[in-house]
Amino acid sequence: MAKLDEPLRKVLGDKTARVLAKGLDLHTVGDLLHHYPRRYAHRGELTPLNELADGEHVTVMAEVVKVQGRTLSRSPGYVLEITVTDGTGELKLSFFGRKGSYKPEKELSPGTRGLFAGKISTYRPRSGRAQRQLAHPQYKVVAERAGHEAAQEWADEIIPIYPSTKGLDIETISISVGTVLDNLDLGPDPMPELTLKRHHYIGLREAYEGIHRPKDWQELGRARHRLKWDEAFVLQIALARRRLAAAALPAKSRPAIEGGLLDAFDARLPFALTEGQREVGREIAEDLSLEHPMHRLLQGDVGAGKTVVALRAMLQVVDGGGQAVLLAPTEVLAQQHFRSISGMLGELGQAGQIGGADVATRVVLLTGSQGAKARKATLLDAASGAAGIVVGTHALLEEHVQFADLGLVVVDEQHRFGVEQRDALREKVAGGRPHVLVMTATPIPRTVAMTVFGDLETSVLGQLPAGRSEIRTHVVPPEKPAFLARTWERIREEASGGRQIYIVCPRIGEREGDEGDAPPPPDEGERRSPLGIMELLPRLEELLAGLRIGVLHGKLHPDEKDAVMRRFTAGELDVLLATTVIEVGVDVPNATAMIIMDADRFGVSQLHQLRGRVGRGTLPGLCLLVTDAEPGSKARERLDAVASTTDGFALSRLDLEQRREGDVLGAAQAGRASSLRLLTLQKDEDVIRKARDEATLLVEADPDLSEHPGLAAELAVLLDEDRTDYLEKA
């Protein structure tokens, strides 16, 4: 009898075990049993041959009337053609391969009756009329005496279809699973008995049988129900233990202080905070006053005022004697944040300078391209504590960057930073952890997953500040060429009204190197190279003759980038032709229109971020998504979704649906290997939340799982070394 951790070679033999290990990375009995069918075929009701239609999956019962083999002329090969009839019509069965290599050749002689299942297609020979056929159909020879009852039983059978790979057919996997199930020794069910009874779940042995060899659809449903719960519950056990450990970590309490910097800042704000900003501010203030680290996601649509909320949190920490860091993904964004924060603070950010307020702090900037003198001054201010707020890029993560008392890390656009990078900042706090606030407009799929799993506290800003305008978004599709011509006219209209326009391309182009500033998402099929700004520039100089056009991309020297942005901000340029370096943080209220070329080459989050650069003032914003993606394609679905809503979470869920959530417990992002096999966030939020409640109670009562050895064993399998390390850092 085989246990779940038994090597497959002991049950299946060396040859089959090697094939499964090489093809699908399956090594143990448990690995194979958790290699669930990706779908199930149902041969369906028997269909008369005279009622067949192209594209239908059918099962027919018929008699062989003719068997004929012929050599293919175009390539070396052989096709076996078998004609069958049921009295209402005829159908051709085609089997391709080498002569003499087919079982059908031996089993399907004229006069044999059988059941044949597959997808109907039409074969059109060079001469003669079109014929309906089944290519490589499943079949079963039926004895004369079996009659219609046996035929219907075969037609109703549920057939598991397993994920497979080259050199490893589905039949080998199916036979291997059957052998393992026949020799399985599970031992005690790892799930607590009370849990199974409370939620009416079947036993684990029954669930494995039901998922791999279901007798009917009800049995399959019960099996999936139980196995989904197991995935959710064991994962929630891991997260509950992590939350318990995080609550035990020390972090310095930074409660709000009356009469400090924060109060002075609120008093000088030239606008009233929205109710949403005030409410989220209260949530963050409460977290900062606790003695264990805050880990909160601040999600708000572009322009919802996340930066003001984050700055108020930073000032609360500075009031408490600590320092705050704002980590930005690009130099353009870091410089923008530095200017924005310095501008909002005014004399409150000018400590040690003439005109600085009595309660002022100092705001400094650290980037990779800074000169040695400026960099040395910034490092000294950070290490001595003279700077209460440090804004910077990845340069902040370097080992020699030190802080006197780092209390808060604010990460802007968390999808640009890995867990390892965020962890590097937290390690700069001796004897504890800083509080962490992550800001985003469209969370990555894994972040949406973590909010659903309850492992990330979330604050949402859904209300736009007064004076901000809505952004209208439209797709400019290939089937309507007049729309593209109208796009160039619209640019001229905006410019003639004194307004400014962004034009964005996926890459720089050959003149400046082939690299874009961000890789486009993969799509099916071969496609032309995405459009580069240096390729579009000569066309724009003709189409938009007379307009002042500036160029901005990631390979320009930082001083050049800054100069171009300053000219655009000052209104000295009508059009800014750029890559995704303008994706976040660029704030030009007079910019009202954005044209995104090859928009289907960008991800949902990028498109949402990019269009957030317009409509930042009182003038309405317009975003045009130019694409050659055909209607009905996944790429067009993405663009239509972006055009239909400005809700960042709704768009993130679309991203989640198309790309999946990646590994909730590991570093893999969307579309990569996942610890979830059956569980999906779109359909199973109810199961996930119930599992979270139950797991939290169990872990509080038994943190080490000493009373639940079966669960402890399941957890050990789930949490390999990499995932354990990831959870400790995340």
Side-chain angles (χ1 to χ4, degrees), residues 79-356:
V79 60
L80 178 68
E81 295 176 331
I82 297 176
T83 305
V84 298
T85 183
D86 68 347
T88 68
E90 288 191 351
L91 178 67
K92 183 164 286 187
L93 316 177
S94 301
F95 299 88
F96 298 87
R98 295 191 307 276
K99 187 173 183 178
S101 64
Y102 286 115
K103 284 169 60 181
E105 213 160 356
K106 301 166 186 173
E107 295 178 344
L108 299 177
S109 56
T112 303
R113 295 183 72 222
L115 289 155
F116 307 96
K119 184 178 179 180
I120 291 292
S121 60
T122 300
Y123 166 63
R124 301 182 186 277
R126 290 184 178 181
S127 58
R129 61 185 179 84
Q131 299 175 344
R132 286 166 303 179
Q133 71 166 357
L134 290 178
H136 284 287
Q138 294 177 311
Y139 71 91
K140 182 177 183 178
V141 174
V142 178
E144 192 65 44
R145 64 181 182 277
H148 191 81
E149 187 177 332
Q152 193 62 55
E153 185 180 323
W154 187 80
D156 289 341
E157 184 184 343
I158 299 171
I159 306 162
I161 308 296
Y162 290 92
S164 57
T165 188
K166 188 176 181 181
L168 181 59
D169 57 45
I170 292 171
E171 189 176 3
T172 298
I173 301 170
S174 186
I175 291 170
S176 299
V177 169
T179 302
V180 162
L181 284 173
D182 291 341
N183 293 278
L184 188 60
D185 176 17
L186 279 179
D189 198 311
M191 202 59 55
E193 189 176 347
L194 285 175
T195 299
L196 295 180
K197 286 181 179 176
R198 184 161 46 248
H199 297 286
H200 309 291
Y201 291 124
I202 61 174
L204 188 56
R205 171 71 198 228
E206 192 181 345
Y208 284 139
E209 285 283 349
I211 196 98
H212 290 293
R213 299 194 289 208
K215 296 181 182 66
D216 52 47
W217 296 106
Q218 289 75 25
E219 183 180 14
L220 175 59
R222 288 191 295 272
R224 289 176 65 86
H225 194 50
R226 163 64 201 267
L227 294 169
K228 278 187 178 186
W229 171 265
D230 282 21
E231 284 188 9
F233 190 66
V234 175
L235 183 51
Q236 287 291 12
I237 291 282
L239 296 176
R241 293 180 76 191
R242 168 187 141 140
R243 286 192 295 273
L244 203 64
L249 287 172
K252 196 175 288 187
S253 172
R254 313 281 183 176
I257 294 173
E258 286 189 21
L261 257 176
L262 178 55
D263 284 352
F265 174 71
D266 286 346
R268 79 185 302 276
L269 270 177
F271 53 83
L273 296 172
T274 66
E275 181 54 41
Q277 286 173 319
R278 285 194 293 270
E279 177 57 34
V280 169
R282 283 191 288 270
E283 291 173 352
I284 294 171
E286 287 175 11
D287 282 359
L288 291 174
S289 67
L290 299 175
E291 293 184 346
H292 59 82
M294 173 180 75
H295 190 202
R296 182 172 288 274
L297 171 72
L298 175 56
Q299 192 271 329
D301 283 334
V302 177
K306 297 187 293 294
T307 305
V308 173
V309 171
L311 178 54
R312 294 184 73 249
M314 289 190 275
L315 293 176
Q316 179 173 327
V317 168
V318 173
D319 278 340
Q323 294 169 285
V325 158
L326 175 55
L327 182 61
T330 66
E331 291 203 1
V332 168
L333 180 53
Q335 289 163 348
Q336 179 75 34
H337 274 312
F338 175 69
R339 286 195 291 268
S340 175
I341 288 171
S342 298
M344 284 192 283
L345 286 176
E347 69 273 10
L348 297 175
Q350 297 172 0
Q353 299 177 37
I354 296 173

Side-chain angles (χ1 to χ4, degrees), residues 310-448:
L311 178 54
R312 294 184 73 249
M314 289 190 275
L315 293 176
Q316 179 173 327
V317 168
V318 173
D319 278 340
Q323 294 169 285
V325 158
L326 175 55
L327 182 61
T330 66
E331 291 203 1
V332 168
L333 180 53
Q335 289 163 348
Q336 179 75 34
H337 274 312
F338 175 69
R339 286 195 291 268
S340 175
I341 288 171
S342 298
M344 284 192 283
L345 286 176
E347 69 273 10
L348 297 175
Q350 297 172 0
Q353 299 177 37
I354 296 173
D358 292 339
V359 293
T361 188
R362 188 176 299 172
V363 184
V364 296
L365 175 69
L366 183 67
T367 66
S369 65
Q370 272 179 322
K373 185 177 178 182
R375 187 179 182 81
K376 185 177 179 181
T378 297
L379 291 173
L380 184 60
D381 284 344
S384 66
I389 297 175
V390 182
V391 180
T393 58
H394 296 76
L396 287 168
L397 308 177
E398 294 170 9
E399 282 186 26
H400 61 272
V401 180
Q402 298 299 323
F403 299 90
D405 185 7
L406 182 57
L408 172 65
V409 175
V410 179
V411 182
D412 195 13
E413 295 313 321
Q414 112 281 16
H415 64 279
R416 299 290 195 93
F417 297 97
V419 170
E420 298 278 351
Q421 291 170 313
R422 299 201 296 272
D423 187 58
L425 261 180
R426 291 190 296 201
E427 291 301 314
K428 295 180 183 293
V429 178
R433 289 288 185 99
H435 299 285
V436 176
L437 179 65
V438 174
M439 300 194 297
T440 188
T442 45
I444 57 174
R446 185 183 177 278
T447 303
V448 177

Side-chain angles (χ1 to χ4, degrees), residues 451-627:
T451 61
V452 173
F453 276 97
D455 199 53
L456 189 62
E457 296 298 328
T458 307
S459 296
V460 178
L461 286 174
Q463 181 185 358
L464 287 177
R468 288 299 300 269
S469 301
E470 291 289 332
I471 304 168
R472 289 173 293 117
T473 306
H474 303 283
V475 177
V476 179
E479 65 270 20
K480 296 181 178 177
F483 280 26
L484 184 58
R486 175 69 185 127
T487 297
W488 309 123
E489 290 175 10
R490 188 58 193 269
I491 291 173
R492 284 192 169 280
E493 290 168 10
E494 293 294 310
S496 65
R499 297 179 289 275
Q500 292 165 281
I501 305 95
Y502 297 101
I503 301 178
V504 181
C505 293
R507 57 194 279 268
I508 299 169
E510 292 179 5
R511 293 190 198 177
E512 296 290 340
D514 290 332
E515 299 86 354
D517 289 279
D523 264 319
E524 303 84 3
E526 289 187 13
R527 308 174 64 187
R528 63 168 173 78
S529 295
L531 188 63
I533 58 175
M534 304 312 294
E535 296 153 2
L536 181 60
L537 183 59
R539 289 171 53 195
L540 290 184
E541 288 169 343
E542 293 179 16
L543 289 165
L544 306 176
L547 297 188
R548 299 166 297 174
I549 302 173
V551 174
L552 184 69
H553 57 76
K555 290 196 172 183
L556 289 176
H557 187 277
D559 290 345
E560 290 181 82
K561 282 191 275 191
D562 198 42
V564 172
M565 274 312 306
R566 285 182 184 278
R567 288 185 67 204
F568 190 66
T569 303
E572 296 170 10
L573 297 173
D574 302 306
V575 176
L576 185 62
L577 176 60
T579 57
T580 52
V581 291
I582 62 157
E583 182 180 339
V584 284
V586 176
D587 189 0
V588 181
N590 192 48
T592 55
M594 172 169 286
I595 319 301
I596 304 179
M597 307 301 294
D598 279 346
D600 51 287
R601 307 300 182 107
F602 297 93
V604 169
S605 295
Q606 278 187 312
L607 292 171
H608 188 56
Q609 287 287 356
L610 284 166
R611 71 171 164 191
R613 299 311 102 208
V614 297
R616 299 186 72 83
T618 56
L619 298 168
L622 174 68
C623 179
L624 300 179
L625 307 175
V626 180
T627 180

